Amino acid sequence: MSFSSEVKEELSRQVSSARHCQIAEAAAIFRMCGQASADGKRLLLRIENPIVGKKFSVLLKRAFGIDLRRVGKEGSSLLLIEGKEAEGFLQTIKLLGEDGRPEDRKDFISSMVVQNSCCKQAFIRGAFLAGGSISNPQKSYHFEIVCDNEEKAKQLQSLIGAFDLEAKIVLRKRYYVLYIKEGNQIVDMLGIMGANVALMELENVRILREMRGSVNRKVNCETANINKTVSAAVEQMNDILYIRDNIGFDRLPEGLEEIALARLEQPEATLKELGDSLTPPVGKSGVNHRLRKLKELARSLRDNDEEESL
């Protein structure tokens, strides 16, 4: 079972005890998967995922006392509500106009249905169950809900924003996809929807990934420092050998001769180790200063050689 399916399985078992939240969640699933006839007396839902169909059935039974009917061939995903029950459902979720006909809304639902914070959470949960997915956190962080128009996506974005989460919207073919890619925000989203088991699983993955990332960054940093130290030491050795072969060490000041010999004897030593090997010991800055002087001298000698060869 995919991580997305595991999340939906967990959410399908989350049924609020408050009727207003049950109504909000049922409204979200209907607006994602259902359509009403022109007179509002027949509601048809196409719910491919049996987990979501079962959850919708439970919500209808508890909040409205309605027994959902499956239509079509055996195993069909079409679910039906008819007659007074259909009208009552539409009226409760504020989709029935004053003329007794379904409202032609572009967005999801009236704000009256999602006034309370708990109802917003239930609505988001229903929308995710019906049209959402979440990637395996072992591979990437990606949470999304697919909407059939921009107005629905923007209303859902606003509902999510009420919990200080920033969801973005992108047009994918003819659908508007609301998505979140930051791991910490996806964790918060799972908490909002009530998927606490999945939340803990994702958190564990995030902690491990961050630890690995931290270790890798430290290793890379150490490797870069080692490479930098080795490269610097090689340059210093080349400069010192050039000086020795051209003018010898006896013409160098005592401090420069001492550090030149120390470097030749200890090609892999750090500046601190070089300084400690001198008598008396010299600090890193002092060692660095002497090596810089040797570098300048070697450069000067090379420049002179080039001029003489012209």
Side-chain angles (χ1 to χ4, degrees):
M1 182 182 292
S2 68
F3 184 70
S4 191
S5 297
E6 289 176 5
V7 173
K8 290 190 177 185
E9 175 71 35
E10 182 180 357
L11 292 178
S12 71
R13 299 191 296 270
Q14 299 289 334
V15 182
S16 174
S17 58
R19 183 171 182 265
H20 48 82
C21 291
Q22 296 168 6
I23 291 170
E25 188 169 357
I29 295 174
F30 174 73
R31 291 294 283 152
M32 291 290 289
C33 306
Q35 59 184 30
S37 61
D39 59 6
K41 294 183 179 179
R42 195 168 192 267
L43 308 181
L44 193 64
L45 294 91
R46 183 179 296 278
I47 301 178
E48 303 289 348
N49 190 330
I51 292 175
V52 182
K54 184 177 179 181
K55 177 68 178 290
F56 187 68
S57 298
V58 170
L59 292 170
L60 278 187
K61 185 67 176 177
R62 293 196 184 184
F64 301 90
I66 297 174
D67 290 312
L68 194 62
R69 190 155 64 89
R70 191 176 296 276
V71 296
K73 298 178 181 179
E74 185 177 353
S76 169
S77 61
L78 295 177
L79 305 176
L80 180 67
I81 310 172
E82 290 185 296
K84 293 293 185 182
E85 290 180 339
E87 291 178 325
F89 177 78
L90 290 176
Q91 187 171 28
T92 302
I93 66 173
K94 310 301 180 186
L95 286 180
L96 205 61
E98 294 181 359
D99 59 358
R101 291 178 175 273
E103 287 187 347
D104 183 22
R105 297 184 70 100
K106 292 293 184 183
D107 61 357
F108 269 115
I109 206 73
S110 166
S111 58
M112 294 177 64
V113 178
V114 286
Q115 280 185 327
N116 301 325
S117 179
C118 56
C119 294
K120 289 182 175 69
Q121 291 177 260
F123 193 93
I124 294 168
R125 179 167 60 243
F128 175 78
L129 278 169
S133 65
I134 183 170
S135 65
N136 182 344
Q138 298 280 4
K139 298 178 180 179
S140 65
Y141 299 135
H142 185 85
F143 171 99
E144 71 174 37
I145 300 176
V146 180
C147 303
D148 58 17
N149 65 48
E150 188 175 10
E151 288 79 7
K152 286 182 178 179
K154 285 186 174 180
Q155 186 179 30
L156 192 56
Q157 183 183 46
S158 177
L159 292 174
I160 291 173
F163 298 96
D164 296 324
L165 298 180
E166 185 179 356
K168 297 180 180 179
I169 299 172
V170 64
L171 180 62
R172 184 188 298 163
K173 295 183 178 179
R174 64 186 183 88
Y175 295 99
Y176 287 83
V177 181
L178 177 141
Y179 68 93
I180 298 174
K181 282 186 173 291
E182 293 184 17
N184 61 329
Q185 293 210 20
I186 294 175
V187 167
D188 291 341
M189 180 59 70
L190 290 174
I192 288 167
M193 294 190 300
N196 295 318
V197 174
L199 181 156
M200 292 303 298
E201 184 177 344
L202 196 153
E203 274 286 54
N204 288 337
V205 171
R206 282 186 66 228
I207 291 169
L208 287 174
R209 287 183 67 178
E210 287 178 3
M211 286 178 64
R212 290 194 193 103
S214 177
V215 170
N216 288 337
R217 283 192 296 273
K218 289 179 179 178
V219 169
N220 291 338
C221 183
E222 289 294 330
T223 302
N225 288 337
I226 291 171
N227 290 337
K228 184 177 178 182
T229 300
V230 170
S231 297
V234 169
E235 289 184 9
Q236 292 159 9
M237 290 285 291
N238 289 336
D239 289 338
I240 291 168
L241 291 172
Y242 191 85
I243 294 170
R244 184 197 66 184
D245 295 342
N246 282 269
I247 65 171
F249 292 155
D250 55 344
R251 294 176 58 184
L252 296 177
E254 183 180 351
L256 296 188
E257 180 182 5
E258 186 182 26
I259 198 65
L261 291 170
R263 173 52 85 195
L264 289 179
E265 292 172 1
Q266 306 172 73
E268 298 180 358
T270 63
L271 296 183
K272 184 178 186 309
E273 290 169 343
L274 281 178
D276 290 342
S277 70
L278 301 179
T279 306
V282 176
K284 285 174 60 177
S285 61
V287 171
N288 192 46
H289 175 73
R290 294 184 186 185
L291 290 170
R292 234 183 3 253
K293 289 291 186 181
L294 290 173
K295 183 180 183 67
E296 292 170 1
L297 176 58
R299 184 188 299 121
S300 177
L301 292 173
R302 289 189 180 101
D303 290 344
N304 289 337
D305 287 346
E306 289 178 4
E307 288 178 2
E308 291 175 1
S309 65
L310 292 178

